[in-house]
Amino acid sequence: MAIIMNLELIFKVLLVIHIIGGSIGLITGTINLVRKKGDKLHKNAGLFFLYGMLINGFAGILMTLIHSNLFLFIIGIFSIYMAATGQRYLSLKGLLKGEKPKIIDWILSSVMLVFGFGFIIYGALLLLSSNNFGVVLLVFGLVSISMVYQDFQNYRGRSAIKNFWLLVHIQRMIGSYIAAATAFLVVNNTILPGIVAWLLPTVILVPLILRWSNKYKIVSK
């Protein structure tokens, strides 16, 4: 009984930390979405966003060890991977000039690759059992693998984009924001069908990623 009570207390503490981290991520992420890019405020807000999403993600994953929650686990994995790699890409400008990625870069991408295949396999099994949540898992799994493929191409200096590091930074940070917005919407949703709540932030914000990627892209000649 004492162990159960201690676990519940730990869970509540983690929940508070998770909410605080997610709130910081949503606030600072929104600031950077709607205002000027690249200035001091953008960089400072970006750091708060990074740490907020990492705290949110790790706290969420630890919570699932106490109370199993596939939704929370997936969001946690995505938050950590996209925020971490999004920040790391700012230090990978020299890959096209022969510089090599750090071990942490390979670890982040390799772990995400494993989870990506896991999401696809589990999603397919859910669909076979007539559980529509499998669609969500398939979408997240395919997105995971496509991002990891992009990482591996960039790590080997094979990008056709000169400023790939900037584009991936933008894509991953907005992707992490999508994860936070998705979590907020799913938890607080009382109107939309579950699958719609899961995919709505992605549908709304992916066009923004495409717009800014096209705007800032510099193709190698």
Side-chain angles (χ1 to χ4, degrees):
M1 181 64 71
I3 294 177
I4 294 176
M5 292 180 63
N6 287 335
L7 286 177
E8 290 303 317
L9 177 60
I10 292 172
F11 183 86
K12 290 178 180 178
V13 172
L14 289 172
L15 177 60
V16 172
I17 295 172
H18 176 74
I19 292 173
I20 291 174
S23 298
I24 292 172
L26 280 174
I27 294 170
T28 55
T30 301
I31 290 173
N32 276 354
L33 276 177
V34 302
R35 64 174 309 281
K36 181 181 178 181
K37 309 296 183 286
D39 61 6
K40 185 176 181 180
L41 178 58
H42 175 87
K43 294 176 181 178
N44 289 337
L47 286 177
F48 275 100
F49 176 80
L50 170 66
Y51 296 132
M53 295 311 299
L54 291 179
I55 291 170
N56 175 268
F58 279 115
I61 291 174
L62 290 174
M63 288 166 62
T64 67
L65 298 180
I66 300 175
H67 293 299
S68 180
N69 188 320
L70 183 58
F71 152 71
L72 192 58
F73 181 80
I74 293 173
I75 292 296
I77 293 296
F78 263 81
S79 297
I80 293 169
Y81 168 74
M82 287 188 288
T85 56
Q87 186 67 25
R88 280 295 308 155
Y89 263 97
L90 293 178
S91 302
L92 297 175
K93 302 178 183 180
L95 290 179
L96 291 179
K97 299 179 181 179
E99 293 184 12
K100 302 298 181 182
K102 304 296 184 182
I103 292 178
I104 185 60
D105 299 311
W106 287 108
I107 291 175
L108 286 169
S109 299
S110 298
V111 170
M112 191 70 245
L113 180 64
V114 172
F115 280 115
F117 279 114
F119 292 155
I120 289 175
I121 293 171
Y122 191 36
L125 292 174
L126 289 180
L127 286 177
L128 289 174
S129 62
S130 300
N131 187 331
N132 288 334
F133 189 75
V135 174
V136 174
L137 283 171
L138 287 177
V139 170
F140 276 82
L142 291 172
V143 170
S144 300
I145 292 175
S146 67
M147 289 191 295
V148 171
Y149 175 78
Q150 180 185 44
D151 288 342
F152 289 167
Q153 290 293 96
N154 290 332
Y155 294 166
R156 293 182 172 90
R158 296 177 181 176
S159 176
I161 309 299
K162 282 186 177 181
N163 61 338
F164 69 90
W165 55 272
L166 176 60
L167 299 190
V168 178
H169 170 73
I170 292 172
Q171 293 162 3
R172 299 292 168 83
M173 288 308 194
I174 297 179
S176 186
Y177 180 84
I178 290 174
T182 300
F184 178 83
L185 182 59
V186 170
V187 169
N188 295 284
N189 172 53
T190 58
I191 301 174
L192 300 172
I195 191 171
V196 174
W198 263 92
L199 299 178
L200 185 60
T202 299
V203 172
I204 294 175
L205 292 173
V206 164
L208 190 59
I209 294 176
L210 296 175
R211 176 187 174 188
W212 281 339
S213 295
N214 290 329
K215 178 180 179 179
Y216 294 113
K217 179 169 61 177
I218 301 175
V219 180
S220 300
K221 297 181 179 178

